Amino acid sequence: MSRPDELPPVLTELGEQLLQASREVAARRQDERRRRRRRLQAIVSALAAIVVPSGALAVAGAFRDGQVLSGDPAGGESPARDPDVVSGSAVADPDGGQYPWALRIFTSAGGRECILVGRLQNGRIGRLENGSFRAFERDAPGACSDLRRQSLVLLSATYVDIDRTAIYGFAVGSDSVRVRVGRTVTRVKTHAFGSYLVVVPSIVDASEIKVTATIGGRVVTVPDP
Amino acid sequence: MRCWYRGMRPRWRRGEQQPESLTALARSVRDPDAFQEFYATNVERLLGFFMRRLFDPEAALDLTAETFAVALERRSQFRGTADHEASGWLFAIGRSQLSRFYSRLRVEREALARLQITLPELDEQISEQVGQFVDIEALRAEVGAAIASLPMEQAYAVEQRVVLERSYSELASELAVTEQVVRARVSRGLRALAATLDQVAVGERAR
């Protein structure tokens, strides 16, 4: 094998130019991957607003652990509260404001537990359009899992227009989870069905997120380290 | 939205450590600097490969550069797991470049242009550096010894051009043919000698 210091100058210079080109090609590919992810995340965020019929599962608020919101029938001019929304899961938006984030959990027709994240108002979850709240339809789709087989579920959704990433899922049988985003670790309590929710004020690549919980006496992490 | 379940490994994770057992070429897909290691391992042999077939430092250098540039662009396509497979893959690209050179008698620096890599104009000093690096005098001696096996026209062209280092224009004038014809005779002659010269080269390295 030729060591660089044995090569004639013209070949050494060629090697250095190839190295520079190699770095530039890698940087361009990384930029393109980031742009593709952002485009995909924007599409996913838009699709999250599409309504799909499914079952329902409730999520408790962050302020009263374990309490499941009971459904209140709509009365008068107020829209009915959604019995599947776990108001206890509510977390304030990093900028504050009147629309915290919360989870809706329901059981699908296929018997799987489904989870949906959105902004919370008056016991209903939805999205913000031009600053106005629009509730999701009752049959809005969620991400569904078979919690009899998967005890720790990690989901993330990014909202590129408002620079937010929602990290949520299930940790069945665990009263809290540790959410790692890059080097930052946050411990959050779980709610109904072991659900959890964290909202981060930036666009986070999914590869930077890990969740750890103690389930059945074992420390479990997803993705696998 | 991304979703993981316990036990399912994501298809791709940024920053994952590359095992050292991967070839430098394979590692260079994620670690650009590993391509330099691949280059250093193969540049001498590749340049020698072209020199044995062309005895033209400028063309050999151009082909070497273009071959590595193409390899850089296509490195994610390499599927081997051993260094000798990576070298074989590189030489396959080199042979393809050489074949194009034979048909056009010039090097198409397409990949070099895309990567914005420029080679210096070949002057006497650089030509001498390249010649010494591949031990061109030893190659000339090998050609001289093997030349008798060639058809007369090719043997003469190769001997005059490679062994005695006469220019193409001079030979063309003497033989009353175009430079293109002389180049083609030299090229065909060297191709015919290639197998013999490669064996000699391998034998010398083994000693």
Side-chain angles (χ1 to χ4, degrees):
Chain A
M1 171 181 145
S2 301
R3 293 189 296 277
D5 57 1
E6 295 178 347
L7 296 175
V10 66
L11 291 180
T12 301
E13 186 186 332
L14 173 60
E16 287 167 2
Q17 288 198 64
L18 284 165
L19 172 61
Q20 184 59 31
S22 178
R23 289 171 178 165
E24 287 169 4
V25 167
R28 279 199 299 272
R29 283 184 181 160
Q30 197 167 41
D31 286 345
E32 180 53 37
R33 278 196 291 265
R34 283 199 199 105
R35 279 196 291 272
R36 275 202 300 268
R37 274 198 298 273
R38 286 199 193 106
R39 283 197 293 270
L40 180 59
Q41 286 160 355
I43 291 170
V44 169
S45 296
L47 287 175
I50 294 174
V51 173
V52 167
S54 264
L57 196 141
V59 175
F63 311 112
R64 287 178 291 181
D65 290 349
Q67 182 168 0
V68 176
L69 182 70
S70 58
D72 289 326
E77 297 174 355
S78 303
R81 287 178 178 272
D82 185 341
D84 304 323
V85 170
V86 182
S87 60
S89 70
V91 294
D93 183 75
D95 285 343
Q98 62 187 47
Y99 302 108
W101 297 76
L103 299 171
R104 175 204 272 174
I105 303 175
F106 52 87
T107 303
S108 70
R112 300 201 300 167
E113 285 69 41
C114 307
I115 190 168
L116 176 61
V117 64
R119 310 304 290 268
L120 178 69
Q121 187 196 48
N122 295 331
R124 303 181 71 192
I125 68 165
R127 63 186 182 279
L128 294 184
E129 287 182 3
N130 300 319
S132 297
F133 177 84
R134 288 180 62 87
F136 293 147
E137 296 297 326
R138 286 283 306 167
D139 53 359
C144 302
S145 323
D146 183 351
L147 296 187
R148 292 165 296 182
R149 298 167 65 183
Q150 284 118 11
S151 51
L152 184 58
V153 175
L154 165 62
L155 298 152
S156 65
T158 55
Y159 303 84
V160 293
D161 53 335
I162 56 172
D163 221 17
R164 296 284 185 270
T165 301
I167 302 167
Y168 59 108
F170 297 102
V172 179
S174 179
D175 58 5
S176 66
V177 296
R178 287 197 308 279
V179 178
R180 174 182 287 275
V181 178
R183 293 184 178 177
T184 304
V185 180
T186 305
R187 189 177 202 93
V188 296
K189 291 185 179 178
T190 58
H191 312 290
F193 296 89
S195 59
Y196 63 90
L197 170 62
V198 170
V199 176
V200 179
S202 61
I203 301 301
V204 178
D205 189 81
S207 63
E208 296 181 68
I209 305 171
K210 283 189 196 303
V211 163
T212 303
T214 301
I215 297 175
R218 290 171 51 237
V219 175
V220 180
T221 298
V222 290
D224 281 339
Chain B
M1 180 164 55
R2 291 294 292 272
C3 181
W4 282 276
Y5 301 101
R6 173 72 169 140
M8 182 175 96
R9 185 171 292 280
R11 280 177 298 166
W12 180 79
R13 294 171 61 190
R14 200 190 321 164
E16 187 174 325
Q17 280 284 356
Q18 297 290 322
E20 284 303 314
S21 59
L22 279 179
T23 65
L25 178 62
R27 280 186 281 120
S28 72
V29 175
R30 298 278 177 90
D31 174 14
D33 289 15
F35 193 82
Q36 196 169 38
E37 183 185 332
F38 172 70
Y39 171 81
T41 302
N42 291 284
V43 65
E44 181 182 0
R45 283 184 54 229
L46 188 65
L47 182 63
F49 169 84
F50 289 127
M51 279 296 290
R52 283 193 296 280
R53 282 152 178 81
L54 302 172
F55 278 86
D56 181 341
E58 184 171 11
L61 191 58
D62 280 358
L63 283 168
T64 300
E66 182 69 7
T67 300
F68 274 109
V70 171
L72 175 62
E73 288 187 322
R74 297 180 189 171
R75 64 196 190 284
S76 62
Q77 298 173 19
F78 172 66
R79 294 288 178 264
T81 56
D83 284 337
H84 72 270
E85 291 175 329
S87 296
W89 182 82
L90 176 72
F91 274 72
I93 296 172
R95 281 189 287 274
S96 172
Q97 292 296 317
L98 185 63
S99 174
R100 295 174 71 177
F101 175 81
Y102 284 145
S103 64
R104 300 174 192 184
L105 291 180
R106 67 175 187 274
V107 180
E108 304 289 352
R109 299 186 182 183
E110 293 167 345
L112 288 169
R114 285 192 296 269
L115 295 173
Q116 299 181 334
I117 293 174
T118 55
L119 290 173
E121 289 297 319
L122 203 79
D123 58 20
E124 206 171 306
Q125 184 184 22
I126 295 175
S127 183
E128 199 178 316
Q129 286 173 5
V130 171
Q132 283 176 354
F133 184 64
V134 298
D135 199 357
I136 195 170
E137 293 308 318
L139 290 177
R140 284 192 213 285
E142 289 163 20
V143 167
I147 221 165
S149 63
L150 293 175
M152 194 167 62
E153 272 184 353
Q154 289 176 15
Y156 183 77
V158 170
E159 180 192 49
Q160 296 297 307
R161 170 67 190 138
V162 173
V163 181
L164 300 179
E165 299 184 74
R166 291 178 67 191
S167 71
Y168 284 111
S169 59
E170 193 184 335
L171 283 171
S173 178
E174 175 194 317
L175 298 171
V177 296
T178 63
E179 271 194 46
Q180 204 77 344
V181 169
V182 178
R183 287 179 182 274
R185 287 181 188 172
V186 172
S187 168
R188 282 196 290 271
L190 288 175
R191 264 188 284 181
L193 293 178
T196 304
L197 295 179
D198 280 347
Q199 285 178 4
V200 174
V202 167
E204 286 193 357
R205 287 196 187 87
R207 282 198 286 273

